[in-house]
Every structure is written in C-alpha cells, then in structure tokens.
Amino acid sequence: MGIRFILLVNKQGQTRLAQYYEYLTLEQRRALEGEIVRKCLARTEQQCSFVEHRNYKVVYRRYASLFFLVGVDNDEVNL
C-alpha cells in the first residue's frame, strides 16, 4: 500500500529521475515509464491530474518543464 514509484520527466519525455518502491525488472520499468509518460504528456491542462494505468493510480503535476509523476495503489485516495 502507498507510493509505488516516483518519476521526474521533462517535456520531451526523457526520464530524469526514477525511484521504485517495489521490485520491477528493467524491461517492466521501461515499458511502464514509456506508457505512463505518453499518457500524461498527451493530456491537456484542462484535464484532471489523475490517470489510472494498469493497477496503479498516477498523480502528476507539471512544474516549469518537468513533470512529477507519483504512482500509488488503486485503493489510495487521490489527494
């Protein structure tokens, strides 16, 4: 329960920081990062900052040119 991963990604989709709090293989990490980053970067500013992906709820926020993405369990409260 709780936070499963934290990602910092720039506007071009390059991962600047990745911290995982559960074990995932390198291939799983790459696939997960690619899918989530594409989903979040494609969203407009008018859309909410919560995305459900696989068994995670992703909460993201853009500050300047960086996106901060936090993956939590589906049963966690959004706030």
Side-chain angles (χ1 to χ4, degrees):
M1 288 190 273
I3 296 175
R4 297 299 178 190
F5 60 86
I6 297 175
L7 300 174
L8 268 66
V9 181
N10 66 10
K11 287 195 287 189
Q12 289 78 31
Q14 297 171 325
T15 302
R16 296 298 180 195
L17 175 81
Q19 180 68 48
Y20 291 87
Y21 298 103
E22 66 179 359
Y23 177 76
L24 294 173
T25 64
L26 192 56
E27 293 81 23
Q28 290 173 326
R29 289 180 181 194
R30 285 187 188 148
L32 181 68
E33 286 178 24
E35 293 167 4
I36 290 176
V37 167
R38 277 192 298 276
K39 260 188 184 180
C40 292
L41 291 179
R43 296 172 64 88
T44 64
E45 289 185 19
Q46 287 76 28
Q47 292 177 306
C48 71
S49 298
F50 307 108
V51 178
E52 290 193 15
H53 182 73
R54 295 187 188 175
N55 56 339
Y56 301 109
K57 191 178 294 183
V58 180
V59 182
Y60 69 95
R61 181 71 185 205
R62 180 180 170 204
Y63 291 104
S65 64
L66 282 179
F67 284 85
F68 292 77
L69 296 92
V70 179
V72 296
D73 293 326
N74 265 339
D75 57 348
E76 291 290 324
V77 177
N78 289 345
L79 303 177

